[in-house]
DNA sequence: AAACAAGCCAACCGCCGAAGG
DNA sequence: ACCTTCGGCGGTTGGCTTGTT
């Protein structure tokens, strides 16, 4: 189709970039399909969109990833799987394409070298039977969290309604994105409470989530979620950790949640593989100082 | 210096879901 | 209810760069 219309493919020239920037800056990009003809570009709308998103958006960050970014990507991938757009939304100024490339080229290989399965985020075993189902598992786990968050949102009414309910709509975010990630992870943990909220629902509810305000901050590297004001976060999480420890065996949701923080769970300790070698530490101490 | 391999990344492709007619 | 269009996503690839023999 594109060839039939004489549309250009391949790398963008500086001239084309200029045209695209000039047009989008002046008119916005409400309709990518019609943009090429309006901007006098021999490209398809998709190509223009991709070029804009990945390279033209102002303030976009290019170049090497920091070790902190690497670690955050690993944590988020453990939780979300190959949801690159969602991961990108949680990493300021990085694009999904760049994160995806970085994962495939660098992080994935590094994990493999370290004997970690990049898909499951667990030490590699000889049994590969689980691998086929892992991607599906990630999706269902995330979907479970999303539904859980939505249900909670409804349950909690108007006081806490703006959660990360959509993986792609950043406009819904009112809290910081990092806080939403944290919130969802808490939702995973609490979803495993035995107390049922509704007899007709497959979801289960505990009394309440940790107070989700801007007191939660995502800081530097592992164990960086911290409580910085007087609320029940630390207490709740500390309790959850004890509670979690009891539930861990065979509990996939918790494994994912814990993987997202500690990368791999082994008994009562977490093993970190953030590139500085492997070591053990206590989860509660590591996460919340 | 040349040939080949591996690494890397920008861009394309195909699919899916939402929106609108 | 069905069809079409469009935006968005994740997987994949083509080609350039860098490293190795």
């Amino acid at each position: 189709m594109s060839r039939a219309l004489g549309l250009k493919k391949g790398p963008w020239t500086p001239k084309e970039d200029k045209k695209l920037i000039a047009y989008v800056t002046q008119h916005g990009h409400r309709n990518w399909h019609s943009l090429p003809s309006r901007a006098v570009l021999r490209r398809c709308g998709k190509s223009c969109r991709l070029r804009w998103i990945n390279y033209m958006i102002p303030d976009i960050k290019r170049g090497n990833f920091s070790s902190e970014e690497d670690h955050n990507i690993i944590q988020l991938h453990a939780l979300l799987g190959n949801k690159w757009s969602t991961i990108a939304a949680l990493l300021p100024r990085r694009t999904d394409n760049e994160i995806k490339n970085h994962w495939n080229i660098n992080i994935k290989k590094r994990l493999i070298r370290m004997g970690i399965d990049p898909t499951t985020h667990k030490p590699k075993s000889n049994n590969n039977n689980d691998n086929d189902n892992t991607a599906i598992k990630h999706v269902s786990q995330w979907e479970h969290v999303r539904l859980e968050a939505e249900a909670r949102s409804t349950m909690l009414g108007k006081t806490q309604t703006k959660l990360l309910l959509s993986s792609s709509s950043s406009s819904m975010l009112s809290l910081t994105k990092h806080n939403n990630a944290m919130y969802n992870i808490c939702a995973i943990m609490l979803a495993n409470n035995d107390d049922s909220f509704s007899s007709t629902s497959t979801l289960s509810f505990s009394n309440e989530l940790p107070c989700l305000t801007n007191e939660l901050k995502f800081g530097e590297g592992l164990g960086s979620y911290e409580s910085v004001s007087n609320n029940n976060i630390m207490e709740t999480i500390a309790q959850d950790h004890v509670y979690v420890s009891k539930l861990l065996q065979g509990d996939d949701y918790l494994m994912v949640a814990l993987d997202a923080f500690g990368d791999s769970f082994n008994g009562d300790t977490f093993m970190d593989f953030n590139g500085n070698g492997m070591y053990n530490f206590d989860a509660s101490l590591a996460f919340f100082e």
Side-chain angles (χ1 to χ4, degrees), chain A residues 71-72 74-76 78-79 111 114 116 120-123 185 189 218 221-225 241 248 254-266 268-275 277-284 286-288:
Chain A
H71 191 254
N72 290 341
I74 293 169
Q75 289 179 335
L76 290 165
L79 177 67
L111 293 181
M114 295 171 74
I116 306 292
T120 62
H121 291 257
K122 291 178 174 61
I185 289 162
M189 293 179 171
F218 193 79
L222 194 67
S224 55
Y225 283 109
H241 173 59
L248 252 179
L254 288 175
M255 286 298 283
V256 171
L258 295 169
D259 279 353
F261 285 103
D263 301 328
S264 178
F265 188 77
N266 180 15
D268 288 325
T269 57
F270 286 83
M271 296 167 74
D272 173 41
F273 52 88
N274 64 356
M278 300 184 75
Y279 56 90
N280 299 326
F281 59 94
D282 181 277
S284 57
F287 298 157
F288 303 96

Side-chain angles (χ1 to χ4, degrees), chain A residues 37-275:
Chain A
S37 57
R38 293 170 194 269
V40 201
L41 282 163
R42 282 175 53 221
R43 296 273 182 176
C44 69
K46 269 189 167 189
S47 182
C48 294
R49 177 187 160 270
L50 198 70
R51 184 67 184 168
W52 175 260
I53 287 174
N54 284 333
Y55 305 97
M56 302 284 116
I57 291 175
D59 202 32
I60 206 164
K61 200 169 163 186
R62 311 282 310 161
N64 294 344
F65 282 71
S66 68
S67 56
E68 183 188 345
E69 284 177 312
D70 278 0
H71 191 254
N72 290 341
I73 291 169
I74 293 169
Q75 289 179 335
L76 290 165
H77 187 272
L79 177 67
L80 304 168
N82 296 354
K83 296 283 178 186
W84 304 118
S85 59
T86 311
I87 292 172
L90 294 160
L91 288 173
R93 298 164 58 203
R94 293 290 190 183
T95 67
D96 55 356
N97 205 38
E98 201 179 12
I99 292 169
K100 180 172 60 182
N101 281 335
H102 183 57
W103 173 268
N104 285 327
I105 292 159
N106 300 311
I107 300 178
K108 199 172 171 182
K109 288 175 186 171
R110 200 164 73 216
L111 293 181
I112 290 168
R113 272 202 304 275
M114 295 171 74
I116 306 292
D117 187 322
T119 313
T120 62
H121 291 257
K122 291 178 174 61
K124 264 199 168 165
S125 67
N126 293 329
N127 184 359
N128 292 324
N129 293 340
D130 294 340
N131 290 353
D132 294 340
N133 300 322
T134 308
I136 297 167
K137 220 172 158 187
H138 268 134
V139 171
S140 64
Q141 284 162 342
W142 176 246
E143 186 62 13
H144 180 94
V145 176
R146 193 185 62 75
L147 290 169
E148 170 75 5
E150 280 181 352
R152 280 182 188 285
S153 174
T154 305
M155 185 179 78
L156 294 173
K158 290 165 187 163
T159 55
Q160 294 184 356
T161 54
K162 291 182 179 178
L163 306 172
L164 181 60
L165 303 183
S166 162
S167 63
S168 58
S169 174
S170 59
S171 63
M172 295 183 70
L173 303 179
S174 66
L175 305 171
T176 69
K177 290 168 179 177
H178 298 318
N179 286 352
N180 284 313
M182 179 62 188
Y183 185 92
N184 282 328
I185 289 162
C186 289
I188 300 171
M189 293 179 171
L190 295 176
N192 290 275
N193 194 311
D194 287 333
D195 299 334
S196 294
F197 174 71
S198 163
S199 59
T200 58
S201 172
T202 57
L203 301 174
S204 58
F205 296 88
S206 63
N207 293 333
E208 60 182 351
L209 279 168
C211 163
L212 186 72
T213 59
N214 287 329
E215 289 87 357
L216 268 178
K217 285 206 309 195
F218 193 79
E220 291 78 38
L222 194 67
S224 55
Y225 283 109
E226 55 184 350
S227 171
V228 294
S229 75
N230 185 22
N231 56 49
N232 66 345
I233 293 167
M234 275 185 68
E235 199 178 308
T236 302
I237 299 300
Q239 284 170 357
D240 277 347
H241 173 59
V242 175
Y243 172 66
V244 162
S245 297
K246 291 177 192 166
L247 286 175
L248 252 179
Q249 285 180 345
D251 193 316
D252 292 330
Y253 297 115
L254 288 175
M255 286 298 283
V256 171
L258 295 169
D259 279 353
F261 285 103
D263 301 328
S264 178
F265 188 77
N266 180 15
D268 288 325
T269 57
F270 286 83
M271 296 167 74
D272 173 41
F273 52 88
N274 64 356

